[in-house]
Amino acid sequence: MATGIQRVAIFGVRGSTSPSVSVTINSHKASGNFGTPITAALQRAGFDLTIITRTESKATFPSGIRVIRATYTVEELSKALTGQDAVICVVGPAGIKSQIAMIDGAEAAGVKRFIIDDFGWGPGIHGLPEFEGIQSQRRRAWEHAKARSEANPKFTYSGIATGNPIDWALKLFPRMGFDIKQCSAIIYDAGTERFTGTTLEGIGQAVVGVLQHPEETQNRVVKALSIITCQNELLEAFQKATAKEWDITRSSTKALLESGRSKLKAGDRGWILDLIIAQLFGEGSSRCVVVPSREESDAELLGIVEESPHSVVAKVLR
Ligand SMILES: NC(=O)c1ccc[n+]([C@@H]2O[C@H](COP(=O)([O-])OP(=O)(O)OC[C@H]3O[C@@H](n4cnc5c(N)ncnc54)[C@H](OP(=O)(O)O)[C@@H]3O)[C@@H](O)[C@H]2O)c1
């Protein structure tokens, strides 16, 4: 490959219990984990892939991809990552604390590019205070990657801000406003709050795009997007695609904030979804806009297809 990046290791591919299920985009298996569509996109683009998984992981992976089980210490990881050109970290929130060891292991192994775990709103997010705990863990790892790249110019990093994983989230969480089975919608506030979304396919392409453009993407957080939209535009697209008037309930992000915060107080994990949705749709907050327009984003550089509310809805209904 002309960019010098060919051998790529990835942390955080959720495995399959059925070895016959291969990694594919838009399959049922792809839902719930970004490592899977990223792996599929990297395979299609012709990278030589290795999956790194925890020694204690119960995951099993499709045959045909090299798998290395490791304890996440710098020493073991530097051995596991030797020979790799790039490393992608897409572990779930519980694994983010291991990122410092992953970065140090990658640098010690001579890896040229480390893609840090984000796939959210990037370091500039002005999120709700309840998410500060997880955000500060991410920040620590990002600052560490930056410091290592400054100390060692052969080691570079990129982050990828993708905003809301829109087709995955709409399908998985009716509380995000669209109950596809019932053809019913909850519209929060006026339904006009705009947010950035990237489809699973776009998230996979963003990673491929970073590795295919290492110079333009080095030592910064790139801004990916498939669409900037709002609930009202999505509702119109759902009604058109299903040729039905949907039952519409009006609600408010204030109610979501109250419900999320009281669930948090009571130790109920449902608080996370309530507050994520409140953050996404809070009228006038612009909390979930990665970048105001496609032109100001890195979508073209990364080769991410531009989506409309109709094409996103078609993916969700597929
Ligand atoms: N923008 C959004 O709205 C949004 C939504 C969802 C996720 N995300 C972000 O996307 C990234 C990936 O999330 P995901 O949902 O794809 O992850 P996930 O499905 O929860 O987990 C992916 C993999 O991470 C590894 N992992 C889990 N716990 C770990 C631990 N304690 N230590 C080390 N590794 C661990 C596991 O791999 P092995 O078993 O193979 O080790 C697991 O299969 C995260 O940064 C997440 O915050 C963003």
Side-chain angles (χ1 to χ4, degrees):
M1 209 161 278
T3 60
I5 293 183
Q6 171 60 40
R7 303 195 68 194
V8 176
I10 179 164
F11 289 94
V13 178
R14 180 175 291 165
S16 159
T17 47
S18 158
S20 62
V21 184
S22 63
V23 279
T24 46
I25 275 181
N26 291 330
S27 71
H28 176 67
K29 185 181 161 273
S31 70
N33 178 262
F34 302 162
T36 306
I38 291 170
T39 302
L42 289 166
Q43 278 195 303
R44 274 201 308 270
F47 289 97
D48 177 356
L49 274 184
T50 300
I51 291 171
I52 314 284
T53 185
R54 294 165 294 166
T55 40
E56 71 271 27
S57 174
K58 298 274 182 289
T60 59
F61 300 97
S63 57
I65 305 183
R66 192 181 311 112
V67 177
I68 297 180
R69 292 187 175 272
T71 305
Y72 291 176
T73 61
V74 177
E75 197 185 9
E76 273 218 29
L77 289 174
S78 74
K79 277 188 215 146
L81 297 174
T82 294
Q84 300 296 333
D85 299 314
V87 169
I88 298 146
C89 181
V90 65
V91 295
I96 287 172
K97 57 184 178 310
S98 299
Q99 231 189 163
I100 304 263
M102 293 172 188
I103 292 166
D104 288 346
E107 188 195 356
V111 167
K112 296 176 214 161
R113 174 64 49 91
F114 190 97
I115 298 189
I116 52 181
D117 204 1
D118 185 54
F119 306 100
W121 279 268
I125 184 175
H126 49 293
L128 291 171
E130 286 80 0
F131 295 119
E132 179 47 29
I134 181 79
Q135 198 61 15
S136 69
Q137 267 191 17
R138 287 178 187 282
R139 240 188 338 262
R140 250 197 316 279
W142 299 340
E143 281 164 7
H144 188 66
K146 184 168 181 278
R148 292 318 311 153
S149 70
E150 284 166 2
N152 172 10
K154 286 189 181 155
F155 175 80
T156 61
Y157 75 91
S158 303
I160 306 177
T162 52
N164 179 260
I166 190 163
D167 50 343
W168 172 82
L170 284 171
K171 195 181 258 184
L172 208 60
F173 305 118
R175 204 160 160 70
M176 202 175 138
F178 302 97
D179 186 329
I180 297 153
K181 282 194 191 130
Q182 305 298 328
C183 287
S184 65
I186 307 169
I187 300 298
Y188 299 99
D189 302 344
T192 53
E193 179 66 16
R194 302 189 81 71
F195 65 97
T196 307
T198 306
T199 61
L200 287 183
E201 200 173 332
I203 292 171
Q205 180 56 41
V207 174
V208 167
V210 164
L211 299 180
Q212 288 175 336
H213 298 279
E215 283 186 16
E216 300 95 317
T217 59
Q218 72 178 335
N219 300 335
R220 69 184 182 99
V221 176
V222 298
K223 293 173 177 177
L225 65 82
S226 305
I227 188 170
I228 301 173
T229 189
C230 66
Q231 270 204 302
N232 286 350
E233 288 177 359
L234 291 166
L235 174 63
E236 193 198 336
F238 272 116
Q239 297 199 125
K240 196 162 177 200
T242 54
K244 270 191 190 152
E245 281 295 314
W246 283 35
D247 289 331
I248 299 168
T249 307
R250 300 269 161 195
S251 186
S252 70
T253 52
K254 185 168 172 280
L256 272 177
L257 276 174
E258 284 166 6
S259 125
R261 284 176 175 153
S262 64
K263 284 179 189 168
L264 176 60
K265 229 179 188 170
D268 173 349
R269 279 191 59 78
W271 71 269
I272 298 176
L273 189 58
D274 283 1
L275 294 193
I276 282 179
I277 299 169
Q279 185 168 278
L280 196 61
F281 298 140
E283 201 69 35
S285 71
S286 299
R287 284 189 191 274
C288 293
V289 176
V290 168
V291 64
S293 68
R294 183 171 174 93
E295 292 68 38
E296 293 161 85
S297 78
D298 293 292
E300 288 296 321
L301 170 73
L302 301 175
I304 301 169
V305 171
E306 183 168 15
E307 304 278 358
S308 66
H310 298 282
S311 65
V312 167
V313 160
K315 282 184 162 66
V316 176
L317 294 175
R318 200 180 286 158

